[in-house]
Amino acid sequence: MNERVAIIGIGVTGFTSVSPALSFKELTYSAAVKAYAEAGLHPREIDSFVTASEDFMEGYSIFDEYVPDQMGAVMRPVHTVTADFLQAFGIGCMMINTGMFRTIAVQAHSKASNVKTLNDVKSFALDPVYLRTLKENAEFIAGLEMRRFIDESGNTEEQCARVVVKNRKSALLNPQAAHGADLTVDDVLSSRPISTPLKHLDAAAPCDGSIMVVLAAEKEAKALCKNPVWVKGFAWFSGQGNVWCRNMAEADYARLASQKACRMAGITNLSKEIDFVEVCDEYSYKELQHLEALGIARKGEAGFLTETGETSIQGALPVNASGGSLGMGHAFEASGGMKVNEAVTQLRHQAGARQVKNARTGLVQSWRGIPTATGSVAILSNG
């Protein structure tokens, strides 16, 4: 990047399993107030605003028309990215690098508890000719993918279950996590089958919440913030959208995004140069699949690292110390923001009982979910 970019303010409301007392606008407003207060800026001093949202999840189209009020962005430059927060975050960094903007606010939210037919909404993303006509939901695809990943990588169902046990236990240490629990491997393996081998506890439950981040160019970041978190690299890729045309055992989008983000950050050995990782674990097997795609584990090794405690908070490379989506909840378009929030908390050494020792650099990764092959990576640092 020509211009260094830093996070100078962050605000989060949630994440909770339900939020009956707050509308999506109130969730967003609450997060925005916190972010602007931390950045020391009034919304009128923000140069532009980016939101990540998906019309399907909101229940009406042209959703971007409904976002300015609660962000303080009426009559200001606003645009919506139909993607995960982490892609909107990357766009904000690129906007600053054009030289036309010095400060950008990036926002996303989840109000999944408002969606009464969540499986139907997710199924509507499937191909209307070849998949939707099968009358199956998105978890059917996830079950197929999990089977292919296990068969080809050599990781096991038990190792996937250990991901659930690890992440939901870590979530007990996170006051922002909605689904912390003390489970056993047997609890996971004996839970209700969804699409074999995928089981009920292998899948993250939905959650509500909102996040806003204020980005700034280097000069403004140093002037406004005592503990900026610097963006070292970011990238996102989309693979083959048609699930019948791609290798379901691998996450190519994560591999490519990791390689590009690492080049930007000047990182040549992830295992040695990264202190913690927050990756998408919407389903248990995705954490293992993503760790191998990112280059943190070799093929077939991620399950072993989980089994031996290497990816626990006390391990050599903590993964999803926040609890991940399995422990915090699946926040849909806000999922990447949830992971950025944990990275900022860790890099500021404010994570309390789940603090990763000597955290200096972290990698965050997101995936847009079934049936997509789109994912993002960002590398953040406190120095």
Side-chain angles (χ1 to χ4, degrees), residues 34 106 112-114 118 143 180-181 223-224 294 297 303 325 356-357 361 370:
K34 296 172 189 173
V106 184
S113 64
N114 274 0
L118 190 56
L224 292 167
L294 292 168
S325 294
V356 174
K357 191 176 180 181
T361 304
I370 297 289

Side-chain angles (χ1 to χ4, degrees), residues 304-320:
F304 172 76
L305 295 178
T306 305
E307 201 168 30
T308 55
E310 293 294 296
T311 59
S312 68
I313 294 174
Q314 297 78 26
L317 183 57
V319 176
N320 287 330

